[in-house]
Amino acid sequence: MPDHVAIIDLLGALAYGELSAFDRLAEDARMAPSLSGRAALAEMAAVEIGHYRRLAERLTMLGVTPEEAMAPFAPALDGFHSTTVPSDWLEGLVKAYVGDGLAADFYREVADFVDPATRELMLDVLADTGSAAFVVREVRAAIASQPALAGRLALWGRRLVGEAISQTQHVLAEHDSLAELLVEGTGDLSGIAALIRRITDKHAERMATLGLHG
Amino acid sequence: MPDHVAIIDLLGALAYGELSAFDRLAEDARMAPSLSGRAALAEMAAVEIGHYRRLAERLTMLGVTPEEAMAPFAPALDGFHSTTVPSDWLEGLVKAYVGDGLAADFYREVADFVDPATRELMLDVLADTGSAAFVVREVRAAIASQPALAGRLALWGRRLVGEAISQTQHVLAEHDSLAELLVEGTGDLSGIAALIRRITDKHAERMATLGLHG
């Protein structure tokens, strides 16, 4: 069973992910072409904060302030967001969908390696909130009316997954507790390779759902 | 009893108020000196979106899209926010507290003039969410450690109330339905004067609570 430090690191990373996802969605909401689109993204942002609240409460129960637990992960997540600033509304939607999906798939894998109480909390806050359906509808409609968009958005999706992998590697290199959790959980290097393959397969499925070739 | 148009205008204005408050709080959260402050403001923003959702659902029930109902009020509220951009974290907190307080006092007065179902919804979405306590604590602590701040923040509070009154006057001048609601509800001009006095009295109390002389 992973130690206390690994659990706190895991929940801290996840909590900061929710807080920074809130920020990103709130900012991207301003690019919405309509008030209803703006409200839709703002509502997604609000859901992330609800998740943040639950993670922060658990961290407090575990004897750390959310702030302490999150701080070590701020640079990597801020780095991800600052290197993937959407240039328009559609890029923002693709990022919300693809980014949240990648993070959720990764944490769902890791949830298999932790105690049941932590696992339950993780799966709860990773549950899809219905926002995915909104994004899929908007992006598919945009591509249908302007097929040339597909190429640019597919490239954007590849950029997002590349940056996400790069920042995840940084985090693992800097946090032995998390690296150990992953190695022990998957069993060995071929286990890690299989995990990465499952995540990239799901990413490709998501891109296809958007009408894009990842 | 006010007509259908007045109710829709009222809920539309309130809904856009919540949506733009979300935006403002989400943006101001970035100025937070700590992750916990940033999370606190993000959580306030999320509460506004919960309120927005309820108002949007009622508008849909009344046969209009939230978008149609809100659009006429966007210029005045955007105008208020663009003329009162906080220059730092403390100005942002004072704006959140004073701005929400002014809006809530105004709408609570107006809630007396509408049907019970609308009144109940309005009072629900205007209920304090506990965020006020956070703001009061932060602002008072800042002034205690740096008394010179009080003068600048008091001036800022006066600016906020001035801009709020000015934008409210614009809205009433452009929306006969709302102007009539207010005139019929208060009875006459002296009734309106009394309403304005009650609102400005409460504003002065709030400034005093923050440790400021309004």
Side-chain angles (χ1 to χ4, degrees):
Chain A
M1 207 35 81
D3 64 10
H4 197 61
V5 173
I7 298 298
I8 286 170
D9 277 348
L10 193 58
L11 297 179
L14 196 45
Y16 191 77
E18 301 282 1
L19 194 54
S20 60
F22 167 86
D23 253 8
R24 168 205 77 195
L25 289 167
E27 187 159 5
D28 295 350
R30 295 197 188 104
M31 295 190 284
S34 66
L35 285 178
S36 58
R38 183 170 144 196
L41 232 60
E43 290 187 276
M44 287 187 221
V47 170
E48 311 273 9
I49 281 300
H51 294 163
Y52 164 80
R53 169 56 29 218
R54 295 192 55 194
L55 293 160
E57 280 163 7
R58 179 66 60 92
L59 284 163
T60 306
M61 271 172 53
L62 293 173
V64 287
T65 66
E67 192 147 15
E68 286 171 311
M70 290 191 292
F73 303 98
L77 279 152
D78 290 348
F80 173 73
H81 289 304
S82 66
T83 53
T84 58
V85 176
S87 66
D88 62 17
W89 170 242
L90 288 171
E91 286 191 5
L93 290 182
V94 171
K95 182 176 170 182
Y97 180 68
V98 162
D100 281 5
L102 280 168
D105 286 340
F106 175 74
Y107 284 113
R108 264 190 220 109
E109 293 274 353
V110 179
D112 280 344
F113 312 146
V114 300
D115 62 279
T118 305
R119 180 180 315 128
E120 194 187 348
L121 174 63
M122 289 178 71
L123 296 178
D124 267 12
V125 303
L126 295 170
D128 176 45
T129 54
S131 54
F134 166 79
V135 172
V136 170
R137 201 168 54 235
E138 290 273 309
V139 173
R140 292 189 75 103
I143 294 171
S145 74
Q146 215 181 323
L149 285 170
R152 173 164 69 85
L153 293 176
L155 204 64
W156 174 242
R158 281 197 287 280
R159 169 116 168 268
L160 291 169
V161 76
E163 291 292 341
I165 289 172
S166 151
Q167 294 295 346
T168 305
Q169 284 170 335
H170 283 216
V171 168
L172 294 174
E174 284 165 15
H175 295 85
D176 291 346
S177 67
L178 293 180
E180 277 166 27
L181 180 66
L182 210 60
V183 172
E184 284 172 17
T186 51
D188 55 18
L189 279 182
S190 75
I192 291 188
L195 179 152
I196 293 171
R197 202 164 45 243
R198 285 193 297 277
I199 290 176
T200 49
D201 283 354
K202 282 189 191 148
H203 170 69
E205 280 170 34
R206 254 188 308 271
M207 294 296 281
T209 304
L210 289 175
L212 302 171
H213 297 285
Chain B
M1 208 32 85
D3 64 8
H4 197 62
V5 173
I7 297 298
I8 287 170
D9 277 348
L10 192 59
L11 297 178
L14 196 45
Y16 192 77
E18 301 282 2
L19 194 54
S20 60
F22 167 87
D23 253 8
R24 169 205 77 195
L25 289 167
E27 187 158 5
D28 295 350
R30 294 197 188 103
M31 294 190 286
S34 66
L35 284 178
S36 57
R38 184 170 143 195
L41 231 60
E43 290 186 277
M44 287 187 221
V47 170
E48 311 273 9
I49 281 299
H51 294 163
Y52 165 80
R53 169 56 29 219
R54 295 191 55 194
L55 293 161
E57 280 163 8
R58 179 66 60 92
L59 284 164
T60 306
M61 271 172 53
L62 294 174
V64 287
T65 66
E67 192 147 14
E68 287 170 311
M70 291 191 292
F73 302 99
L77 279 151
D78 291 348
F80 173 72
H81 289 303
S82 66
T83 53
T84 58
V85 176
S87 66
D88 63 16
W89 170 242
L90 288 172
E91 287 191 4
L93 290 183
V94 171
K95 181 175 169 180
Y97 180 68
V98 162
D100 281 6
L102 280 169
D105 287 340
F106 176 73
Y107 284 113
R108 264 190 219 109
E109 293 274 355
V110 178
D112 280 343
F113 313 147
V114 300
D115 61 279
T118 304
R119 181 179 315 128
E120 195 188 348
L121 174 63
M122 289 177 70
L123 296 178
D124 267 11
V125 302
L126 295 170
D128 176 44
T129 55
S131 54
F134 167 80
V135 172
V136 170
R137 201 169 54 234
E138 289 274 310
V139 173
R140 292 189 75 103
I143 293 171
S145 75
Q146 214 181 323
L149 284 171
R152 173 164 67 84
L153 292 177
L155 204 64
W156 174 241
R158 281 197 286 280
R159 169 116 167 267
L160 291 169
V161 74
E163 290 292 341
I165 290 172
S166 151
Q167 294 295 346
T168 305
Q169 284 170 336
H170 281 217
V171 168
L172 293 175
E174 283 165 16
H175 294 84
D176 291 345
S177 66
L178 293 180
E180 277 167 27
L181 181 66
L182 210 60
V183 172
E184 284 173 16
T186 50
D188 55 18
L189 280 183
S190 76
I192 291 187
L195 179 152
I196 293 172
R197 200 163 48 242
R198 285 192 297 277
I199 291 176
T200 49
D201 282 354
K202 282 189 190 148
H203 170 69
E205 280 172 32
R206 255 190 307 271
M207 294 296 281
T209 304
L210 289 175
L212 302 171
H213 297 286

